[in-house]
Amino acid sequence: MNIHEQKKTCKIIDEFALYLMRKGQKKVNVDINLDNENETIIKVKTTNLQPEVIDKLMTYINQERELEIEEYGWELMGESDVSNELELVGLLIDRLDIEFEGENCILILRRKH
């Protein structure tokens, strides 16, 4: 994985974790799997995630990945205090899956290289 891919992964994690903290999450665990050459998998585990937060994530994150915007837009992430940052995360990943284990919510972000 090249340095730009690593930076994009870090920006995705930063924006996603910041969003969850702003929504009141007190415990956020992040697991990054870089073992697969073709895909990066980011698992974010949190507790008691509110349904309205899940709905917003599904709306903003599960959209079509746009490679044209990705090439330039990812570098601007984190530069402002705008809610559109979550939409930029959606443009950088291919899929968001959500799993529940008791009170735990596991958000799985997948990004193909």
Side-chain angles (χ1 to χ4, degrees):
M1 176 187 299
N2 68 39
I3 188 75
H4 288 320
E5 285 297 320
Q6 292 171 346
K7 286 182 178 182
K8 288 176 191 177
T9 298
C10 289
K11 290 268 192 174
I12 290 166
I13 293 165
D14 181 50
E15 291 304 322
F16 204 74
L18 181 60
Y19 176 80
L20 292 174
M21 288 186 280
R22 284 184 177 166
K23 294 301 180 183
Q25 296 307 115
K26 303 284 186 214
K27 195 173 191 180
V28 178
N29 297 307
V30 177
D31 178 64
I32 308 165
N33 183 339
L34 304 172
D35 288 337
N36 187 335
E37 285 183 24
N38 301 321
E39 183 178 55
T40 296
I41 300 172
I42 303 166
K43 289 186 180 181
V44 180
K45 183 177 175 182
T46 190
T47 57
N48 299 319
L49 195 59
Q50 299 298 314
E52 58 271 9
V53 175
I54 293 171
D55 290 343
K56 218 167 218 182
L57 287 171
M58 294 304 288
T59 299
Y60 288 119
I61 300 291
N62 271 340
Q63 55 182 313
E64 190 71 28
R65 184 171 168 188
E66 294 189 32
L67 296 175
E68 302 81 28
I69 292 175
E70 177 178 326
E71 286 307 309
Y72 303 102
W74 74 271
E75 293 185 45
L76 301 175
M77 290 175 68
E79 298 299 319
S80 64
D81 192 28
V82 180
S83 61
N84 294 9
E85 299 294 332
L86 197 58
E87 291 181 47
L88 284 175
V89 171
L91 297 175
L92 295 175
I93 66 166
D94 293 295
R95 194 169 92 218
L96 168 67
D97 296 317
I98 300 177
E99 298 176 0
F100 296 94
E101 293 177 356
E103 67 178 19
N104 293 323
C105 180
I106 302 167
L107 306 153
I108 305 166
L109 295 96
R110 299 177 183 275
R111 176 179 164 74
K112 295 183 192 237
H113 303 151

